[in-house]
């Protein structure tokens, strides 16, 4: 499932191709995604210019400016979604659900293609201003961004008080900090030396400080490595990510810890696999 690093890698890859481009046509081949693609999306987007490509958590936000108003195209990659920029798009396959064709100032066209085999992703329209966008139902309950300067050990300590759930589960919930999905939660907890089953409310201020640093460092490294490609993920240029090659614990059950040599353990938390080292994480 694409997590924050994969979405950010996609966003950065889209920027030079989309910003300033004018939407010429939109082709929706399958509206039955996680939420139905709006019936009027083709007419709504046509003629608009993409002014910005932003990210909030795992949502990509394309600001599309028309002659009378501004709105946002919200895209979520779900579990198997990708957004590709294709100068000469091949014949669409069965899982290629949405194409947005744009032209730059010189008339050069590119196609933004949304592909999602399992159809858990989303392509939605929000007729909202920038000030109104944070109140969108899909965005308003999201926690702080991990790269926000306000996210630090004090923030994490303050927002985990009274939380009896395991810290791994709390990280995945996304209401305290967004984007720390399954891979990066396991890796961050290893780097911070924290057992994933530890109750969030029992973490000391010092351990929260180490975890906040570990979250930022892990996500930053993953972005630099192009994200993680375990199954379907590729960036906007079709390239795979390589962070999975750097993992200390994720998907390494039974293999020796890269630090101490203890076999990595695997458990299930909230129906998700968790990996940790019993020696390094206490």
């Amino acid at each position: 499932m694409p997590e924050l690093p994969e979405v950010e890698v996609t966003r950065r890859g889209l920027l030079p191709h989309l910003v300033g481009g004018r939407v010429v046509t939109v082709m929706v081949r399958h509206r039955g995604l996680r939420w139905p693609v709006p019936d009027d999306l083709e007419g709504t987007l046509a003629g608009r210019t993409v002014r910005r490509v932003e990210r909030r958590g795992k949502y990509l936000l394309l600001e599309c400016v028309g002659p009378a108003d501004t709105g946002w195209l919200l895209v979520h990659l779900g579990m198997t979604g990708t957004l590709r920029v294709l100068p000469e798009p091949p014949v669409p396959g069965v899982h290629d659900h949405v194409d947005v064709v744009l032209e730059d100032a010189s008339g050069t066209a590119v196609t933004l293609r949304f592909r999602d085999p399992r159809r858990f992703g989303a392509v939605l329209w929000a007729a909202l201003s920038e000030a109104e966008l944070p109140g969108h139902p899909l965005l308003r309950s999201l926690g702080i961004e991990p790269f926000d300067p306000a996210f630090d050990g004090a923030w994490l300590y303050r927002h985990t008080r009274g939380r009896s759930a395991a810290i791994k589960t709390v990280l995945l919930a996304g209401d305290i900090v967004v984007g720390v999905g399954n891979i990066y939660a396991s890796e961050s907890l290893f780097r911070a030396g924290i057992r994933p089953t530890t109750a969030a409310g029992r973490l000391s201020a010092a351990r929260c400080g180490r975890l906040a640093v570990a979250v930022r460092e892990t996500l930053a490294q993953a972005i630099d490595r192009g994200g993680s490609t375990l199954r379907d993920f590729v960036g906007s240029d079709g390239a795979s990510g390589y962070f999975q090659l750097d993992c200390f614990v994720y998907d390494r059950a039974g293999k020796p810890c890269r630090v101490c040599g203890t076999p990595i353990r695997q458990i299930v938390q909230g129906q998700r696999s968790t990996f940790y080292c019993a020696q390094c994480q206490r």
Side-chain angles (χ1 to χ4, degrees), residues 11-281:
R11 186 190 75 84
R12 295 182 184 186
L14 296 177
L15 282 173
H17 302 284
L18 299 190
V19 174
R22 183 179 63 85
V23 177
V24 179
T25 58
V26 178
M27 289 161 280
V28 180
R29 301 183 187 89
H30 199 304
R31 298 186 186 273
L33 302 181
R34 184 176 182 182
W35 299 285
V37 177
D39 290 336
D40 58 349
L41 186 66
E42 295 90 333
T44 299
L45 283 183
R48 291 180 180 268
T49 298
V50 178
R51 184 158 64 187
R52 286 189 294 167
V53 181
E54 304 292 343
R55 179 191 55 75
R56 180 71 174 101
K58 299 178 186 179
Y59 288 92
L60 287 163
L61 310 171
L62 281 63
E63 185 183 27
C64 301
V65 181
D69 62 353
T70 296
W72 299 80
L73 188 67
L74 275 65
V75 180
H76 195 290
L77 300 181
M79 297 184 70
T80 56
T82 58
L83 269 181
R84 295 280 307 279
V85 174
L86 303 167
E88 297 181 6
V91 175
V94 65
H95 302 306
D96 296 327
H97 303 310
V98 181
D99 281 359
V100 179
V101 180
L102 305 99
E103 283 187 353
D104 63 17
S106 67
T108 302
V110 297
T111 297
L112 178 65
R113 175 165 288 175
F114 178 78
R115 174 182 173 83
D116 187 5
R118 297 189 68 178
R119 301 207 308 268
F120 288 145
V123 178
L124 301 169
W125 176 253
L128 301 171
S129 67
E130 182 177 2
E132 296 169 323
L133 188 62
H136 188 281
L138 296 176
L139 305 178
R140 62 189 175 204
S141 63
L142 296 180
I144 195 172
E145 289 285 332
F147 297 114
D148 189 316
F151 175 67
D152 57 13
W155 175 282
L156 197 55
Y157 182 78
R158 186 166 63 253
H159 287 83
T160 52
R161 296 311 87 193
R163 301 285 288 261
S164 60
I167 183 59
K168 164 86 179 316
T169 303
V170 169
L171 287 176
L172 292 182
D175 58 336
I176 292 179
V177 57
V178 295
V180 190
N182 199 43
I183 298 172
Y184 305 110
S186 287
E187 290 298 305
S188 298
L189 288 165
F190 175 82
R191 294 183 184 212
I194 297 171
R195 186 73 60 95
T197 54
T198 303
R202 294 184 59 192
L203 292 178
S204 66
R207 299 185 93 192
C208 284
R210 293 200 301 271
L211 182 54
V213 170
V215 165
R216 285 196 299 271
E217 290 181 348
T218 300
L219 294 176
Q221 181 182 348
I223 292 169
D224 288 343
R225 294 284 275 158
S228 298
T229 297
L230 302 180
R231 287 186 182 179
D232 304 286
F233 174 73
V234 293
S236 61
D237 59 354
S240 298
Y242 295 97
F243 179 78
Q244 69 274 9
L245 303 179
D246 300 333
C247 286
F248 285 99
V249 292
Y250 186 81
D251 203 27
R252 299 191 68 247
K255 297 180 180 179
C257 173
R258 299 186 192 276
V259 174
C260 73
T262 301
I264 298 300
R265 296 184 182 181
Q266 179 180 2
I267 59 174
V268 176
Q269 292 179 286
Q271 300 181 322
R272 307 295 299 277
S273 291
T274 294
F275 302 87
Y276 71 99
C277 173
Q279 180 65 29
C280 294
Q281 296 170 261

